[in-house]
Every structure is written in C-alpha cells, then in structure tokens.
Amino acid sequence: MNIALFGASGMIGRRILDEALERGHRVRAIVRDPSRLEDRPEGLTVEVGDILDPASVAEAASGCGAVVSAFGVRADQGPGAVARAARALIAGLKDGGPRRLIFVGGSGSLEVAPGTWVLDVPHFPPALRPIALDHAHALEVFRKEGQALEWTYFSPAAMIHPGERTGRFRLGGDRLVADAQGDSRISAEDYAVALLDELENPRHVRKRFTIGY
C-alpha cells in the first residue's frame, strides 16, 4: 500500500513509518522539515507539506491508498490547530483523494467512568488541558463532518513513550484501557503495530479506538 504519512519525523510518526516500511508498504512522509528524516530507506519518499492547508493535503495524498496523520502541534500554529488539521484533511481528501484515514488522536477525552473524561480527573496536568480539548474537538469534527471518509481516530493510552515492540496489548473503544493497578500505558512501538493492523484490516471505520497494556 502507498501511505501518505503526516508528522513522520515525530516520536509516534517515526515508529509508524518504521513499522509500515517493515511490513513492505511504501511511505510518502509529509513533513515540515525534511532534514529530520535524513535516513531514507527503500520505500520512503519525503516531501514538504502543510496539514493545515487542504490543497497541500490533496497534493500530498495524490496516488496514495491511505493517509495517516501523526500531526504534532507547534506553538506558532495557535490554539485549535488539531481540529483545523482534521477539517483540512476532510476537505483535502473529499474530492478524489484516498478515503481511508487514520488520525493519531489524544487520550484526554477517553472515559475513566461514565461521563468522566481523563482530562477531568484531579491530577490531569492543567498545562495539557488545552491540547487535550483540541484533540477532543477534532474527534467531534470527524464524527460530524467526516462522513465522506473512512476515518479512524486512534487514541493512545494515557502514557505513551518509546519502548519495546511486544505485539501484546489490549484494544478498547471510548474507555481508557488500564491495567489492574490503574496504569494506562503503551509503547510507541506497540501503538504503531496496532495502527498498521487497523490500516491493513479495518475494524474501526468511522470510530475511535484506543490501546493499552
């Protein structure tokens, strides 16, 4: 499959890139700074693009079978950038672009109890609340405006860090996946495994799903 990957040089995006190439996919990495992807293995092409610009999205995705967004917000992009990226993807792909889209989302709007989100718990860092709400808004954008696409919004566990690729994890829907001690975590490597599994064998079309150990 030819995959257009936004944010390929970030912590999560790079692991998605590596997993996709390992599985034999061809990846068109759409980045802001090509110098961050100096290593160019077979199957990878790198282009400059802007996920906030529907025309740039359309050009970047042309000829690809699917799009993956691992977009990371920059301070200079201002508030609401994640939701704006969701709208730009919808607009850029609706006319002739690939219909399949997987969006690396946030965990803040996952439920820890009926009606209670992760971002509502007392120990949630206040500094992270704006980006968590922005990610929640992006999910609503897909639910309300993304009918023309086969989108999937993939929320990580509460904690995601570089680690080991085990291939052993649990999936969930709108509820946070946590272990018996209440910890919710996943390695970026296993997150990438689950994302590529979903891309190759869709099970959550026009839905949100999540992951954890």
Side-chain angles (χ1 to χ4, degrees):
M1 185 187 303
N2 291 330
I3 302 168
L5 173 59
F6 287 89
S9 61
M11 187 268 288
I12 297 175
R14 185 59 201 240
R15 282 146 180 92
I16 295 170
L17 169 62
D18 291 343
E19 182 71 21
L21 293 175
E22 181 66 25
R23 297 189 188 203
H25 298 290
R26 300 187 66 82
V27 178
R28 182 183 299 165
I30 314 302
V31 296
R32 294 179 292 243
D33 180 4
S35 68
R36 295 185 64 188
L37 284 176
E38 293 181 351
D39 181 26
R40 305 287 173 87
E42 184 178 355
L44 171 65
T45 58
V46 179
E47 298 181 7
V48 176
D50 182 2
I51 197 173
L52 300 179
D53 178 1
S56 183
V57 169
E59 181 178 357
S62 178
C64 291
V67 174
V68 176
S69 167
F71 167 65
V73 178
R74 283 198 323 251
D76 64 353
Q77 290 170 322
V82 181
R84 296 205 311 274
R87 287 198 169 94
L89 286 164
I90 292 169
L93 299 177
K94 68 178 182 179
D95 295 324
R99 291 173 54 81
R100 188 67 175 120
L101 167 67
I102 299 185
F103 191 89
V104 174
S107 61
S109 61
L110 291 167
E111 287 191 331
V112 293
T116 302
W117 289 358
V118 171
L119 62 81
D120 294 325
V121 300
H123 59 271
F124 190 86
L128 299 181
R129 189 174 178 84
I131 187 66
L133 288 170
D134 194 9
H135 271 286
H137 188 192
L139 176 57
E140 289 307 304
V141 168
F142 284 118
R143 286 172 169 167
K144 293 178 180 178
E145 304 174 24
Q147 296 88 348
L149 299 180
E150 296 174 359
W151 61 267
T152 297
Y153 184 102
F154 188 17
S155 290
M159 300 296 294
I160 180 168
H161 295 294
E164 185 181 359
R165 184 191 188 281
T166 71
R168 300 186 300 274
F169 42 76
R170 293 178 293 145
L171 301 179
D174 290 318
R175 185 75 180 261
L176 185 75
V177 175
D179 63 18
Q181 289 72 45
D183 294 327
S184 175
R185 59 187 179 84
I186 195 69
S187 72
E189 288 77 3
D190 276 340
Y191 179 92
V193 170
L195 187 147
L196 266 295
D197 287 348
E198 173 66 25
L199 193 61
E200 293 172 348
N201 297 289
R203 297 173 53 198
H204 301 92
V205 175
R206 298 189 184 94
K207 296 178 182 178
R208 187 248 292 271
F209 80 114
T210 188
I211 188 172
Y213 291 126

